[in-house]
Amino acid sequence: MQEPKLKIFQRRLPHWELDGAVYFITFNTWEKLELSLEAREIVFNSCLFFDKNRYRIFVLVVMTNHVHLLIQPLLKSENEFWSLSSIMKSIKGYSAKQIPKVMKHIGTVWQDERYDRIVRNDQEFQQYWEYIRQNPVKAELSSSPENYPFFWQLSE
């Protein structure tokens, strides 16, 4: 078996990718654009579209102006994982084309970059999971994560 490859990219923010790793990802709307319910549904469905195909989502929440994911890219071929940039391009690109159909918004929907962090251990994984779960509750959008329509978690 091959040693996992670490790739480091730098735009404004540093991005580290490690084959087989789980990531905590946050991406934000452009200039804090407030997404309508219909727009959040588009983003929610865009995130889940390639789940179990290109990546595995453990937990996801789409908030009014940002999204949190706990995600693991899957193998694209025998020796290559789907890159975070291709995953994010798919989610953000598709949703950005669909959102103007349900919202009166012309122009940029998403900030260019994302915040991503390699999850280093089970404790961090659990902390991120709980942080994502509680996001709509802390924002007073729901009394519980399960009652928030744009929250999803893996049930095992």
Side-chain angles (χ1 to χ4, degrees), residues 6-20:
L6 176 66
K7 297 173 239 83
I8 301 173
F9 308 93
Q10 179 81 37
R11 291 176 71 193
R12 249 182 340 122
L13 299 171
H15 301 285
W16 290 34
E17 291 191 34
L18 181 65
D19 290 348

Side-chain angles (χ1 to χ4, degrees), residues 28 86 115 153:
N28 300 299
S86 70
Y115 169 82
Q153 65 183 353

Side-chain angles (χ1 to χ4, degrees), residues 83-95 114:
S83 70
L84 287 183
S85 58
S86 70
I87 291 168
M88 297 310 299
K89 184 177 181 179
S90 174
I91 292 169
K92 291 165 73 175
Y94 178 79
S95 61
R114 65 187 181 268

